[in-house]
PDB file of all heavy atoms in Angstrom:
ATOM      1  N   VAL R 332     180.296 127.230  13.572  1.00 81.00           N
ATOM      2  CA  VAL R 332     181.083 126.355  14.310  1.00 81.00           C
ATOM      3  C   VAL R 332     180.782 124.844  13.845  1.00 81.00           C
ATOM      4  O   VAL R 332     181.709 124.014  13.601  1.00 81.00           O
ATOM      5  CB  VAL R 332     180.798 126.449  15.847  1.00 81.00           C
ATOM      6  CG1 VAL R 332     181.462 125.314  16.569  1.00 81.00           C
ATOM      7  CG2 VAL R 332     181.323 127.792  16.424  1.00 81.00           C
ATOM      8  N   ALA R 333     179.514 124.610  13.695  1.00 76.00           N
ATOM      9  CA  ALA R 333     179.086 123.204  13.154  1.00 76.00           C
ATOM     10  C   ALA R 333     179.720 122.978  11.774  1.00 76.00           C
ATOM     11  O   ALA R 333     180.188 121.854  11.523  1.00 76.00           O
ATOM     12  CB  ALA R 333     177.606 123.176  13.007  1.00 76.00           C
ATOM     13  N   GLY R 334     179.747 123.942  10.916  1.00 78.00           N
ATOM     14  CA  GLY R 334     180.324 123.740   9.626  1.00 78.00           C
ATOM     15  C   GLY R 334     181.828 123.469   9.695  1.00 78.00           C
ATOM     16  O   GLY R 334     182.373 122.570   8.957  1.00 78.00           O
ATOM     17  N   GLY R 335     182.543 124.229  10.576  1.00 84.00           N
ATOM     18  CA  GLY R 335     183.961 124.033  10.737  1.00 84.00           C
ATOM     19  C   GLY R 335     184.272 122.669  11.297  1.00 84.00           C
ATOM     20  O   GLY R 335     185.249 122.015  10.845  1.00 84.00           O
ATOM     21  N   VAL R 336     183.526 122.245  12.286  1.00 85.00           N
ATOM     22  CA  VAL R 336     183.773 120.857  12.894  1.00 85.00           C
ATOM     23  C   VAL R 336     183.477 119.816  11.922  1.00 85.00           C
ATOM     24  O   VAL R 336     184.254 118.765  11.768  1.00 85.00           O
ATOM     25  CB  VAL R 336     182.845 120.687  14.140  1.00 85.00           C
ATOM     26  CG1 VAL R 336     182.934 119.249  14.689  1.00 85.00           C
ATOM     27  CG2 VAL R 336     183.284 121.706  15.212  1.00 85.00           C
ATOM     28  N   SER R 337     182.444 119.941  11.154  1.00 82.00           N
ATOM     29  CA  SER R 337     182.079 118.914  10.167  1.00 82.00           C
ATOM     30  C   SER R 337     183.127 118.721   9.097  1.00 82.00           C
ATOM     31  O   SER R 337     183.414 117.692   8.676  1.00 82.00           O
ATOM     32  CB  SER R 337     180.659 119.062   9.614  1.00 82.00           C
ATOM     33  OG  SER R 337     180.594 120.314   8.833  1.00 82.00           O
ATOM     34  N   ARG R 338     183.537 119.945   8.588  1.00 86.00           N
ATOM     35  CA  ARG R 338     184.516 119.949   7.491  1.00 86.00           C
ATOM     36  C   ARG R 338     185.872 119.323   7.968  1.00 86.00           C
ATOM     37  O   ARG R 338     186.548 118.636   7.291  1.00 86.00           O
ATOM     38  CB  ARG R 338     184.734 121.341   7.007  1.00 86.00           C
ATOM     39  CG  ARG R 338     183.493 121.880   6.233  1.00 86.00           C
ATOM     40  CD  ARG R 338     183.104 120.955   5.137  1.00 86.00           C
ATOM     41  NE  ARG R 338     181.951 121.354   4.426  1.00 86.00           N
ATOM     42  CZ  ARG R 338     181.862 122.069   3.326  1.00 86.00           C
ATOM     43  NH1 ARG R 338     182.935 122.408   2.655  1.00 86.00           N
ATOM     44  NH2 ARG R 338     180.699 122.362   2.784  1.00 86.00           N
ATOM     45  N   THR R 339     186.280 119.597   9.267  1.00 89.00           N
ATOM     46  CA  THR R 339     187.519 119.177   9.779  1.00 89.00           C
ATOM     47  C   THR R 339     187.425 117.571   9.891  1.00 89.00           C
ATOM     48  O   THR R 339     188.394 116.890   9.589  1.00 89.00           O
ATOM     49  CB  THR R 339     187.773 119.728  11.127  1.00 89.00           C
ATOM     50  OG1 THR R 339     187.914 121.137  10.981  1.00 89.00           O
ATOM     51  CG2 THR R 339     189.107 119.235  11.732  1.00 89.00           C
ATOM     52  N   ALA R 340     186.211 117.091  10.280  1.00 88.00           N
ATOM     53  CA  ALA R 340     186.119 115.692  10.440  1.00 88.00           C
ATOM     54  C   ALA R 340     186.300 114.927   9.088  1.00 88.00           C
ATOM     55  O   ALA R 340     186.688 113.743   9.172  1.00 88.00           O
ATOM     56  CB  ALA R 340     184.773 115.405  11.040  1.00 88.00           C
ATOM     57  N   VAL R 341     185.925 115.503   8.086  1.00 89.00           N
ATOM     58  CA  VAL R 341     186.046 114.806   6.731  1.00 89.00           C
ATOM     59  C   VAL R 341     187.114 115.460   5.873  1.00 89.00           C
ATOM     60  O   VAL R 341     187.069 115.261   4.650  1.00 89.00           O
ATOM     61  CB  VAL R 341     184.626 114.831   6.010  1.00 89.00           C
ATOM     62  CG1 VAL R 341     183.626 114.092   6.766  1.00 89.00           C
ATOM     63  CG2 VAL R 341     184.205 116.232   5.708  1.00 89.00           C
ATOM     64  N   ALA R 342     187.989 116.214   6.530  1.00 90.00           N
ATOM     65  CA  ALA R 342     189.082 116.848   5.745  1.00 90.00           C
ATOM     66  C   ALA R 342     189.922 115.935   4.839  1.00 90.00           C
ATOM     67  O   ALA R 342     190.266 116.341   3.758  1.00 90.00           O
ATOM     68  CB  ALA R 342     190.004 117.648   6.667  1.00 90.00           C
ATOM     69  N   PRO R 343     190.337 114.762   5.371  1.00 91.00           N
ATOM     70  CA  PRO R 343     191.158 113.852   4.491  1.00 91.00           C
ATOM     71  C   PRO R 343     190.367 113.489   3.191  1.00 91.00           C
ATOM     72  O   PRO R 343     190.954 113.478   2.147  1.00 91.00           O
ATOM     73  CB  PRO R 343     191.334 112.622   5.376  1.00 91.00           C
ATOM     74  CG  PRO R 343     191.270 113.141   6.744  1.00 91.00           C
ATOM     75  CD  PRO R 343     190.215 114.228   6.712  1.00 91.00           C
ATOM     76  N   LEU R 344     189.079 113.279   3.358  1.00 89.00           N
ATOM     77  CA  LEU R 344     188.222 112.910   2.095  1.00 89.00           C
ATOM     78  C   LEU R 344     188.091 114.151   1.125  1.00 89.00           C
ATOM     79  O   LEU R 344     188.055 113.994  -0.082  1.00 89.00           O
ATOM     80  CB  LEU R 344     186.863 112.476   2.555  1.00 89.00           C
ATOM     81  CG  LEU R 344     186.819 111.028   3.209  1.00 89.00           C
ATOM     82  CD1 LEU R 344     185.467 110.808   3.822  1.00 89.00           C
ATOM     83  CD2 LEU R 344     187.204 109.932   2.260  1.00 89.00           C
ATOM     84  N   GLU R 345     188.048 115.313   1.733  1.00 85.00           N
ATOM     85  CA  GLU R 345     187.880 116.514   0.924  1.00 85.00           C
ATOM     86  C   GLU R 345     189.165 116.792   0.196  1.00 85.00           C
ATOM     87  O   GLU R 345     189.200 117.151  -0.980  1.00 85.00           O
ATOM     88  CB  GLU R 345     187.586 117.727   1.914  1.00 85.00           C
ATOM     89  CG  GLU R 345     187.611 119.078   1.152  1.00 85.00           C
ATOM     90  CD  GLU R 345     186.404 119.252   0.229  1.00 85.00           C
ATOM     91  OE1 GLU R 345     185.501 118.449   0.312  1.00 85.00           O
ATOM     92  OE2 GLU R 345     186.438 120.170  -0.620  1.00 85.00           O
ATOM     93  N   ARG R 346     190.360 116.542   0.818  1.00 88.00           N
ATOM     94  CA  ARG R 346     191.693 116.775   0.163  1.00 88.00           C
ATOM     95  C   ARG R 346     191.787 115.739  -0.978  1.00 88.00           C
ATOM     96  O   ARG R 346     192.239 116.038  -2.049  1.00 88.00           O
ATOM     97  CB  ARG R 346     192.781 116.719   1.084  1.00 88.00           C
ATOM     98  CG  ARG R 346     194.063 117.076   0.324  1.00 88.00           C
ATOM     99  CD  ARG R 346     195.390 117.112   1.148  1.00 88.00           C
ATOM    100  NE  ARG R 346     196.395 117.523   0.277  1.00 88.00           N
ATOM    101  CZ  ARG R 346     197.545 117.032   0.216  1.00 88.00           C
ATOM    102  NH1 ARG R 346     197.872 115.998   0.943  1.00 88.00           N
ATOM    103  NH2 ARG R 346     198.494 117.572  -0.612  1.00 88.00           N
ATOM    104  N   LEU R 347     191.420 114.494  -0.646  1.00 88.00           N
ATOM    105  CA  LEU R 347     191.574 113.438  -1.689  1.00 88.00           C
ATOM    106  C   LEU R 347     190.759 113.728  -2.856  1.00 88.00           C
ATOM    107  O   LEU R 347     191.129 113.571  -4.017  1.00 88.00           O
ATOM    108  CB  LEU R 347     191.152 112.114  -1.052  1.00 88.00           C
ATOM    109  CG  LEU R 347     191.094 110.918  -2.058  1.00 88.00           C
ATOM    110  CD1 LEU R 347     192.489 110.608  -2.602  1.00 88.00           C
ATOM    111  CD2 LEU R 347     190.577 109.722  -1.419  1.00 88.00           C
ATOM    112  N   LYS R 348     189.502 114.228  -2.671  1.00 83.00           N
ATOM    113  CA  LYS R 348     188.611 114.586  -3.716  1.00 83.00           C
ATOM    114  C   LYS R 348     189.239 115.606  -4.648  1.00 83.00           C
ATOM    115  O   LYS R 348     189.239 115.501  -5.938  1.00 83.00           O
ATOM    116  CB  LYS R 348     187.281 115.160  -3.230  1.00 83.00           C
ATOM    117  CG  LYS R 348     186.310 115.483  -4.254  1.00 83.00           C
ATOM    118  CD  LYS R 348     185.209 116.468  -3.733  1.00 83.00           C
ATOM    119  CE  LYS R 348     185.842 117.818  -3.520  1.00 83.00           C
ATOM    120  NZ  LYS R 348     184.693 118.873  -3.259  1.00 83.00           N
ATOM    121  N   ILE R 349     189.833 116.671  -4.022  1.00 82.00           N
ATOM    122  CA  ILE R 349     190.386 117.751  -4.814  1.00 82.00           C
ATOM    123  C   ILE R 349     191.658 117.279  -5.565  1.00 82.00           C
ATOM    124  O   ILE R 349     191.847 117.574  -6.816  1.00 82.00           O
ATOM    125  CB  ILE R 349     190.793 118.932  -3.924  1.00 82.00           C
ATOM    126  CG1 ILE R 349     189.481 119.540  -3.357  1.00 82.00           C
ATOM    127  CG2 ILE R 349     191.620 119.936  -4.705  1.00 82.00           C
ATOM    128  CD1 ILE R 349     189.827 120.706  -2.415  1.00 82.00           C
ATOM    129  N   LEU R 350     192.493 116.416  -4.975  1.00 84.00           N
ATOM    130  CA  LEU R 350     193.634 115.862  -5.616  1.00 84.00           C
ATOM    131  C   LEU R 350     193.181 115.044  -6.841  1.00 84.00           C
ATOM    132  O   LEU R 350     193.860 114.968  -7.883  1.00 84.00           O
ATOM    133  CB  LEU R 350     194.482 115.036  -4.713  1.00 84.00           C
ATOM    134  CG  LEU R 350     195.230 115.787  -3.570  1.00 84.00           C
ATOM    135  CD1 LEU R 350     195.787 114.883  -2.513  1.00 84.00           C
ATOM    136  CD2 LEU R 350     196.376 116.630  -4.245  1.00 84.00           C
ATOM    137  N   GLN R 351     192.177 114.227  -6.645  1.00 82.00           N
ATOM    138  CA  GLN R 351     191.648 113.434  -7.775  1.00 82.00           C
ATOM    139  C   GLN R 351     191.121 114.210  -8.961  1.00 82.00           C
ATOM    140  O   GLN R 351     191.353 113.975 -10.084  1.00 82.00           O
ATOM    141  CB  GLN R 351     190.530 112.463  -7.268  1.00 82.00           C
ATOM    142  CG  GLN R 351     191.101 111.311  -6.400  1.00 82.00           C
ATOM    143  CD  GLN R 351     189.919 110.544  -5.816  1.00 82.00           C
ATOM    144  OE1 GLN R 351     188.764 110.887  -5.820  1.00 82.00           O
ATOM    145  NE2 GLN R 351     190.264 109.284  -5.367  1.00 82.00           N
ATOM    146  N   GLN R 352     190.423 115.435  -8.585  1.00 77.00           N
ATOM    147  CA  GLN R 352     189.889 116.308  -9.563  1.00 77.00           C
ATOM    148  C   GLN R 352     191.013 116.931 -10.404  1.00 77.00           C
ATOM    149  O   GLN R 352     190.962 117.019 -11.605  1.00 77.00           O
ATOM    150  CB  GLN R 352     189.076 117.380  -8.877  1.00 77.00           C
ATOM    151  CG  GLN R 352     187.807 116.960  -8.346  1.00 77.00           C
ATOM    152  CD  GLN R 352     186.983 117.998  -7.541  1.00 77.00           C
ATOM    153  OE1 GLN R 352     187.623 118.966  -7.140  1.00 77.00           O
ATOM    154  NE2 GLN R 352     185.675 117.887  -7.443  1.00 77.00           N
ATOM    155  N   VAL R 353     192.066 117.400  -9.631  1.00 78.00           N
ATOM    156  CA  VAL R 353     193.102 118.112 -10.367  1.00 78.00           C
ATOM    157  C   VAL R 353     194.125 117.115 -11.131  1.00 78.00           C
ATOM    158  O   VAL R 353     194.449 117.417 -12.290  1.00 78.00           O
ATOM    159  CB  VAL R 353     193.967 119.011  -9.370  1.00 78.00           C
ATOM    160  CG1 VAL R 353     195.177 119.548 -10.018  1.00 78.00           C
ATOM    161  CG2 VAL R 353     193.110 120.065  -8.698  1.00 78.00           C
ATOM    162  N   ALA R 354     194.490 116.062 -10.456  1.00 73.00           N
ATOM    163  CA  ALA R 354     195.334 115.042 -11.139  1.00 73.00           C
ATOM    164  C   ALA R 354     194.749 114.415 -12.241  1.00 73.00           C
ATOM    165  O   ALA R 354     195.347 114.122 -13.332  1.00 73.00           O
ATOM    166  CB  ALA R 354     195.856 114.058 -10.110  1.00 73.00           C
TER     167      ALA R 354
END
Side-chain angles (χ1 to χ4, degrees):
V332 173
V336 172
S337 65
R338 292 305 174 98
T339 300
V341 298
L344 291 168
E345 176 68 14
R346 189 182 182 221
L347 175 62
K348 180 201 75 171
I349 294 177
L350 288 172
Q351 290 177 338
Q352 289 176 335
V353 174

